[in-house]
């Protein structure tokens, strides 16, 4: 099997990996995104933080513009900012492929979702650890993905919160009932130990930052380690 066949095979497996570049080495960002793609990443997760919505600042649309030419993978933009609506257009122009927007702090979430759809981009709704699954009830039919935060958003390298597992199972049940095509993504503290827990609970997409980009043997090794843990579980 050549490298391309192996990459395609990894990408087609049921659980999709979305490396989060928050933990990447920014001096070698293009190279690291390329390595993640080669190792079978399904999409690249881009965490945008404004220092208001979460107590940290990351980066904006120019980073999306910079990595756009180095990968053919979809770029999913996780907006952790107070006013997502005002920034959608610049991210679309920079090359964004989909958006993840929080339920929290958005008085007009449905308007935000409509705006994203007007750009013809898939949209996911994100809920924080303390937010109950039930808030999704009115909006579930309108979205392509639900992302359950498995840490408090704002920083990479935090520990997975086991209290979210019951909610992940609940969201999976809601998806099966109301929108079976909807994806269920987890974000935060995903590693070789927690990935199988999340998948067992019903997730089919895992965002992971430090487990991939801070792996001591490099990006490809980080990807492989996660894939092996998931595959062991799937068997
Ligand atoms: C944090 C971000 C995450 C972060 C996860 O708010 O949304 O995507 O990169 O990092 P790890 O996988 O290291 O917990
Ligand atoms: Zn994220």
């Amino acid at each position: 099997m050549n490298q391309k066949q192996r990459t395609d095979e990894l990408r087609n497996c049921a659980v999709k990996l979305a490396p989060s570049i928050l933990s990447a080495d920014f001096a070698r960002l293009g190279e690291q995104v390329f390595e993640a793609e080669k190792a079978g990443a399904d999409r690249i997760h881009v965490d945008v933080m404004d220092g208001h919505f979460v107590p940290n600042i990351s980066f904006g649309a120019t980073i999306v513009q910079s990595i756009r030419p180095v990968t053919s993978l979809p770029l999913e933009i996780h907006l952790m900012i107070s006013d997502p609506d005002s920034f959608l257009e610049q991210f679309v122009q920079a090359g964004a492929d989909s958006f993840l927007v929080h339920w929290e702090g958005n008085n007009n979430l449905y308007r935000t979702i409509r705006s994203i759809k007007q750009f013809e981009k898939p949209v996911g709704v994100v809920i924080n650890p303390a937010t109950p699954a039930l808030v999704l009830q009115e909006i579930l039919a309108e979205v392509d993905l639900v992302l359950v935060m498995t840490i408090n958003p704002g920083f990479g390298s935090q520990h997975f919160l086991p209290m979210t597992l019951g909610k992940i199972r609940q969201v999976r049940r809601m998806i099966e009932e109301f929108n079976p095509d909807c994806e269920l993504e987890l974000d935060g503290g995903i590693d070789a130990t927690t990935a199988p827990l999340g998948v067992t609970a019903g997730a089919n997409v895992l965002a992971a930052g430090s487990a991939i980009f801070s792996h001591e043997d490099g990006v490809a090794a980080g990807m492989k380690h996660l894939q092996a843990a998931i595959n062991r579980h799937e068997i």
Side-chain angles (χ1 to χ4, degrees), residues 20-36:
S20 162
I21 59 167
L22 190 65
S23 296
D25 174 356
F26 294 145
R28 299 190 297 123
L29 186 55
E31 208 179 296
Q32 295 211 317
V33 166
F34 181 70
E35 281 178 49

Side-chain angles (χ1 to χ4, degrees), residues 9-87:
E9 187 189 86
L10 290 170
R11 198 164 291 130
N12 288 338
C13 85
V15 178
K16 299 175 187 312
L17 288 180
S20 162
I21 59 167
L22 190 65
S23 296
D25 174 356
F26 294 145
R28 299 190 297 123
L29 186 55
E31 208 179 296
Q32 295 211 317
V33 166
F34 181 70
E35 281 178 49
E37 175 167 7
K38 228 172 42 188
D42 178 76
R43 63 193 78 176
I44 299 294
H45 184 92
V46 180
D47 290 300
V48 178
M49 305 178 183
D50 65 355
H52 293 279
F53 186 82
V54 288
N56 195 11
I57 297 175
S58 59
F59 38 70
T62 48
I63 286 286
V64 173
Q65 204 175 352
S66 303
I67 57 175
R68 183 64 290 170
V70 307
T71 180
S72 57
L73 293 180
L75 304 176
E76 71 173 8
I77 316 300
H78 180 186
L79 291 175
M80 287 163 277
I81 60 178
S82 299
D83 184 11
D85 299 38
S86 307
F87 292 90

Side-chain angles (χ1 to χ4, degrees), residues 45 78 100 125-127 145-149 184-187:
H45 184 92
H78 180 186
L100 303 169
V125 62
V126 184
I127 53 173
L145 182 149
V146 172
L147 189 153
V148 174
M149 288 303 305
L184 174 48
E185 182 167 358
L186 307 182
D187 183 9

Side-chain angles (χ1 to χ4, degrees), residues 160-227:
F160 182 93
L161 296 169
M163 53 89 90
T164 57
L165 285 169
K167 183 166 63 179
I168 297 162
R169 284 192 286 271
Q170 192 182 351
V171 174
R172 169 49 67 194
R173 286 196 296 272
M174 291 170 75
I175 286 176
E176 294 309 324
E177 187 169 357
F178 300 112
N179 186 359
D181 291 334
C182 185
E183 294 189 297
L184 174 48
E185 182 167 358
L186 307 182
D187 183 9
I190 298 296
D191 59 22
T193 307
T194 57
L197 301 178
V199 171
T200 307
N204 75 309
V205 185
L206 302 174
S210 49
I212 294 170
F213 290 106
S214 308
H215 193 282
E216 54 182 8
D217 296 323
V219 174
M223 287 284 298
K224 225 174 172 177
H225 197 45
L226 272 183
Q227 285 155 345

